[in-house]
Every structure is written in structure tokens, then in C-alpha cells.
Amino acid sequence: MRTLIVTEFISLDGVIDSPGGDDGHPHAGWTYKDVAFDPAAYELKGREQEEAETLLLGRVSYELFAPVWGGMDEFARYNAMPRYVVSTTLEGDDPRWPATVLRSLDEVRVLREGEGGPIIVHGSSRLAQSLAAAGLVDRYHLLVFPVLLGSGARLFGDDPDAYAKLALTEHEAYGNGIVKLVYDMQR
């Protein structure tokens, strides 16, 4: 079985909406506009790209990432690995950044139960929430930024019946206030 990892830039109040782009959120770009850059804080991102064997995205994240990531040298490993998009509405993929479309969480489950290395999920708040609710998330990689955004898509929904126990496996604080938290799901 493969490890499914959800990785996010997240504000202190749990918002993951628009961390790097200008896509309608009033504080879009909060990761680079509001917090000083410290390369040490992003070591986890480079490690993820080296360790992952598959990239899994929701439709909205895929549509935002495809025209950008496909041409970026810093995402060379992501550009070379298999990509999957979970969507019931996507009609084909972006020819600049081809991906296989999965139509259900059952198809994600089959992918996860197969052979191979880690599957990494970037962005995709609704997908991350759905994967967690279906018991498919094995690990969270979180870079927590010292900002409060107040509104926007959150990593963890507000389902009153949701409960999960996590084990902290790695953590580090950086001079710019970012905190790295890596949690494994406890089942």
C-alpha cells in the first residue's frame, strides 16, 4: 500500500486558500507577501518532490497549477511523475500538463492500494477533506504561517462528527515564524 500525503501551506487559523496566487481571496499570496522568505522553511517542499512518486490534485488546483507548474524547472520531478486529478466534471486534461482523471474516491483507493511510492496531494482543500473523511490520508505535511486570514477554504472542515488522532513525527520552527508540522494518522 502506498502512503498518501496531504501537504499544505496553512495559516494559523487553518486557511489554505490562495497561498501563492491571486485567485480572488482578499489576502491571496499571503505566503510570500506577508512572511519573510527563509529557504530553510521550504526544505520540506524539496524533499516531498524527491520522495513522491505520484501527484494527486483536485480539479480546481489542477486547473490553477497546470499552466504554471508545467513550465517551471523547480517542479521538474512533478512534471516527470504520473499526475492524477480527482474530478467528476473535468473533460480531458490540459495538454501542457497531462494527467489521468479519476472520477471517484474509490478510484483513489485503488491507486493508493497499488504498488509504488508516496502519493502527494497539493492544494485541493475539498479533495483533502474528502480523502480524510474516507480514511485515505496517511500523513499531513503542514507549513503553518504566522498569519490569521479569517476566511477562505480550510484544510479541516467543520464536520461535527469528524475525529482523527494524529502523531507528530517531525517539527521545526523557523526565524520567520513558520512552523513545520508533520503528522501521521493514527488508526
Side-chain angles (χ1 to χ4, degrees), residues 13 15 33 50 87 103:
D13 57 347
V15 175
K33 290 180 182 175
E50 290 305 313
S87 175
R103 298 293 181 195

Side-chain angles (χ1 to χ4, degrees), residues 65-160:
F65 292 177
V68 178
W69 281 25
M72 295 179 75
D73 291 338
E74 59 214 339
F75 296 120
R77 281 267 301 139
Y78 286 144
N79 292 332
M81 71 179 57
R83 288 176 296 280
Y84 294 85
V85 180
V86 180
S87 175
T88 58
T89 59
L90 187 65
E91 298 295 330
D93 59 11
D94 187 318
R96 296 170 292 185
W97 212 48
T100 300
V101 178
L102 303 177
R103 298 293 181 195
S104 70
L105 291 180
D106 287 336
E107 291 184 55
V108 174
R109 188 179 321 285
V110 169
L111 178 67
R112 180 175 166 261
E113 290 173 356
E115 296 294 319
I119 301 167
I120 193 95
V121 180
H122 277 275
S124 306
S125 60
R126 284 181 286 203
L127 175 59
Q129 290 172 5
S130 297
L131 292 168
L136 296 173
V137 176
D138 298 299
R139 181 174 300 140
Y140 288 98
H141 288 184
L142 307 176
L143 288 182
V144 182
F145 283 69
V147 296
L148 299 173
L149 299 175
S151 66
R154 297 180 187 280
L155 175 57
F156 304 105
D158 50 2
D159 178 355

Side-chain angles (χ1 to χ4, degrees), residues 49-77:
Q49 197 173 164
E50 290 305 313
E51 294 173 357
E53 287 189 9
T54 302
L55 183 61
L56 180 66
L57 301 167
R59 180 192 53 83
V60 173
S61 292
Y62 174 74
E63 289 175 342
L64 290 170
F65 292 177
V68 178
W69 281 25
M72 295 179 75
D73 291 338
E74 59 214 339
F75 296 120
R77 281 267 301 139

